Amino acid sequence: MYRYDEFDHQLVNERVAQFRGQVARRLSGELTEDEFKPLRLMNGVYLQLHAYMLRVAIPYGTLSSKQLRMLAHIGRKYDRGYGHFTTRQNLQYNWPALKDMPDVLHDLATVEMHAIQTSGNCIRNVTSDQYAGAAKDEIEDPRIVSEIIRQWSTFHPEFSFLPRKFKIAVSGTPDDRAAIRVHDIGIQIVRDGKGEIGYEIYVGGGLGRTPMIGKKIADFVPKEDLLAYLEAIMRVYNMYGRRDNIYKARIKILVHEIGAEEMKRQVDAEFAEIRKTGALHLPAEEVARIQAYFAPPAYETLPDESTELNKAVVADRDFANWVKSNVAAHKVPGYAIVNISLKPIGGTPGDCSSEQMDAVADIAEKYSFDELRVTHEQNLTLADVRKKDLPAVHAALKAAGLATANINLITDQIACPGLDYCALANARSIPLAQQISERFADLDRQHDIGELKINTSGCINACGHHHVGHIGILGVDKKGVEYYQVTLGGAADEKTAIGDIVGPAFTEEQIVDAIETIVTTYLGLRQPGERFIDTYRRIGIDPFKESLYATH
Amino acid sequence: MAQHSRKGAQIQALTANRLADGIVVYLTADNRWSESLQDADVIEGKEAGEALLARAQPAIDGNIVVEPYLFEVVREDGNIRAASVRETIRQAGPTVRLDLGKQAELPGVHR
Amino acid sequence: MQLIRNGKFVADDFATVGDEDALPDGAVIVSLERWQKERDALTARNTLLGVRLKSGQEPSAIADDLDKLAVVALEFPVYRNGRAYSYARLLRERHGYKGEVRAVGNVLRDQFHFMVRCGFDALEVADNITPEIWAESVGVFSLSYQPATDGREPVLSLRQRLAARASAREAV
């Protein structure tokens, strides 16, 4: 993975010093809250329902064991012994004190981490595929370009006060695990007819109160021009994005209002000008320098079949179930990708205790080249595990309470923190996810239902990605009572779709039954081999409406 | 239930967060800041609400607390209860982690 | 309000005049509207001239007049509105403007560094800004990852020079 050089270190250390000064000025009263708020918001510090919250950047979701141990340590020393992994592949602490924040940032900097641009109207942490480097059909490791973008966007003088926050996601495979079409900019790595690698660019995707799917405005941007092209998009947005209404300030509204064609025209015109100067031309040497950090680890030459694995699958049903749902194919024979579910039955999606972080760090160090990933579905991934080590990895995860076998199944839900933690929420999300998880706890039933993604958000800001859940749940407030609105048919992959609202919202008492009714309806109508989303796309919303509302 | 308070005559208390550590606090009758809602000064009516906000001002100016606001409470069996789910959670802690927050630390917290 | 020009605290030698105000003697800064209406009269005065652009008034509106202007003042109606960073870069890099680009409006210390990087060489700042604060704020980051208008060498190119020096040393 990428390692800081002297320049990276210096910049992060200067940032820590700057924030230390800002916090000191606030605590001494030199800065008022109004003056301080935008400064803390440039550094991932929010004031939430119970306390401050700190959001730590995990660039493109990649972590070393050492970094994860530091996150565990910070959780213990400055927080309440845990952290929360988010849909942005970041980590949030829910209880840190403001006065400790500079020390937390200092500790993070010692392991090459920071909270830079994890909030504010700037270019946020770049997100990517958790299978980067290990996926079978990968054209190029998306972390190379993600790191290049991270550096270019850090303290960008022109784009630190955009109309609104800005999120970029990169996918290196045709299967999109990074949800690039619901980001402000989605980058799909492609290869042209001559075998050259370049980038397909989507712009104007996003969730929130006006969900939109990104529009493709470039089929192939050459590698050396990527930063010039991105700078062109950013400049068009910075100049023409709306600033009169916070709800209309994201780039998706600009693209929607002027149209994708006009957006493309403006970006192309700006790109041509920027390209002329050559200042943002990306030298092959720098790409190579960064690429070297993401060189494949020292894989052993192994047979693809592992007798240890095969024996264990036959001997241990729990293990077999876990392999079936949590283990994915690797590009190298004899290796596998292991997904660690942070969705135990009845637990809080994405929460991880400091002890569990330490355990995962040890497992990653021992079995996966000292590295792990955070997924946008709030799980963790060990990308490079020998198949013969899978039984040992499973046992170690089980001992840490991390062997839940439910990846992509109905209990592997995304949920935002909701009203239990968030100052903006209208309703609780986590308890709902927990009740659904308990209702569908039976593993045989989960496997019978198959792949089904339920995403829950506690307000219209859609941090729980409800629009793109196969089943989406949105908490709303009706005259002081929590209600839940259901959408069906959303998807965040290469066939991205925004879910359709099924009908009137449900009460807290009704909602879990309603989810079960939807699932039962699907099971009754599916054809062999169909997932929920396939059935939905074939039959539409009406059968679900009928079973949900006809009897009411 | 995101509303901090509803319109009309009502019984209210005042909450804020401590600047240095962010912890939720309530303004008491003797102008202290307590972590417990049970210690909060409870007032009735718009004018009394404004007076309560005015009493919070020195602590704002003195950089003791931030983001003060009034919210609706009810008196029940001699206890003060928050009227909304939001404020109930705020004075207790996350409903999904009963071991954290005031519910684990203080007496008189309701859920 | 004080003026910092090229890092020095100086007296403002320009008067910013409203659209209805009578023109004083000496150098003035006028709105885009007034400039467009009274261009000939203003240029005939033979004093230094400046135009103030609001957020939404793009530099292209005065692109043909830049040789007549000693100052282009770009307005930050609120610090959160960062349009003028792009305007400043366009003035310098696209239109080749060599005169003064002045930041006016809600100009805060935590933005000085970004403004200078984008080509502002003059800033109208609050009275509580001291030379010490200016120095600390403008120099908050000693390195930059990306090229901008200030011509500061980006980290990427520093790395290349470092690598070239290292390989030269090896060759010896």
Side-chain angles (χ1 to χ4, degrees), chain A residues 249-261:
Chain A
R250 296 289 289 267
I251 196 172
K252 62 191 173 187
I253 302 295
L254 174 66
V255 174
H256 179 72
E257 286 180 354
I258 68 176
E261 273 307 304

Side-chain angles (χ1 to χ4, degrees), chain A residues 26 29 33 47 49-52 80 82 97-99 419-421 423 425-426 428 430 434 477 480-482, chain B residues 1-3 17-24 63 66-67 85-86 89-90 93-97 100-101 105:
Chain A
R26 176 65 190 111
E33 185 62 13
L47 187 56
L49 196 61
H50 305 294
Y52 289 103
R80 308 278 168 103
Y82 72 112
L98 180 63
K99 58 184 166 50
L419 195 47
D420 280 302
Y421 290 100
N426 289 320
R428 283 170 291 170
I430 300 167
Q434 292 175 332
D477 172 279
V481 184
E482 290 166 303
Chain B
M1 283 165 249
Q3 308 97 327
N17 296 76
R18 266 199 312 249
L19 171 67
D21 62 8
I23 295 302
V24 173
N63 304 298
V66 294
E67 308 218 348
V85 175
R86 182 187 201 272
I89 294 173
R90 190 169 149 92
T95 65
V96 294
R97 284 294 299 264
L100 296 180
E105 297 159 4

Side-chain angles (χ1 to χ4, degrees), chain A residues 66-249:
Chain A
K66 189 179 170 189
Q67 290 176 324
L68 186 58
R69 285 194 192 99
M70 179 55 81
L71 294 176
H73 166 77
I74 289 169
R76 266 189 294 263
K77 184 164 178 191
Y78 303 103
D79 205 88
R80 308 278 168 103
Y82 72 112
H84 176 74
F85 289 101
T86 76
T87 56
R88 303 262 318 128
Q89 299 180 303
N90 290 324
L91 183 90
Q92 292 176 179
Y93 293 110
N94 290 305
W95 307 88
L98 180 63
K99 58 184 166 50
D100 293 335
M101 229 54 101
D103 293 335
V104 175
L105 295 181
H106 169 269
D107 288 358
L108 285 171
T110 64
V111 294
E112 306 179 8
M113 297 187 80
H114 59 72
I116 295 164
Q117 288 170 212
T118 56
S119 53
N121 293 335
C122 51
I123 302 173
R124 303 284 188 91
N125 186 28
V126 181
T127 53
S128 187
D129 180 7
Q130 67 271 20
Y131 293 176
K136 270 195 154 161
D137 51 351
E138 187 170 279
I139 294 160
E140 185 176 72
D141 192 323
R143 293 173 301 173
I144 301 164
V145 72
S146 298
E147 174 60 26
I148 290 168
I149 295 170
R150 182 190 77 81
Q151 296 191 19
W152 160 77
S153 62
T154 297
F155 306 132
H156 197 299
E158 187 179 349
F159 306 131
S160 290
F161 297 92
L162 296 166
R164 199 78 178 84
K165 58 188 169 183
F166 204 92
K167 301 172 182 177
I168 302 177
V170 186
S171 169
T173 60
D175 287 344
D176 177 11
R177 280 173 294 269
I180 65 167
R181 287 161 188 82
V182 289
H183 282 75
D184 296 287
I185 293 178
I187 300 175
Q188 175 66 53
I189 301 177
V190 292
R191 203 185 284 280
D192 71 2
K194 286 173 269 173
E196 293 290 321
I197 285 173
Y199 312 101
E200 204 172 78
I201 308 287
Y202 294 81
V203 67
L207 300 173
R209 74 182 59 211
T210 320
M212 302 243 184
I213 297 170
K215 314 283 186 302
K216 189 163 80 174
I217 58 164
D219 291 318
F220 191 87
V221 174
K223 214 173 219 182
E224 66 268 23
D225 288 332
L226 180 67
L227 294 183
Y229 194 84
L230 294 180
E231 189 135 314
I233 297 176
M234 299 312 302
R235 184 168 291 159
V236 169
Y237 172 54
N238 193 40
M239 286 180 47
Y240 303 110
R242 287 181 61 172
R243 293 176 187 269
D244 59 327
N245 180 340
I246 187 176
Y247 301 119
K248 297 189 172 179

Side-chain angles (χ1 to χ4, degrees), chain B residues 15-36:
Chain B
T15 184
N17 296 76
R18 266 199 312 249
L19 171 67
D21 62 8
I23 295 302
V24 173
V25 286
Y26 300 92
L27 185 57
T28 68
D30 55 352
N31 291 335
R32 289 178 305 111
W33 294 91
S34 169
E35 294 186 25
S36 171

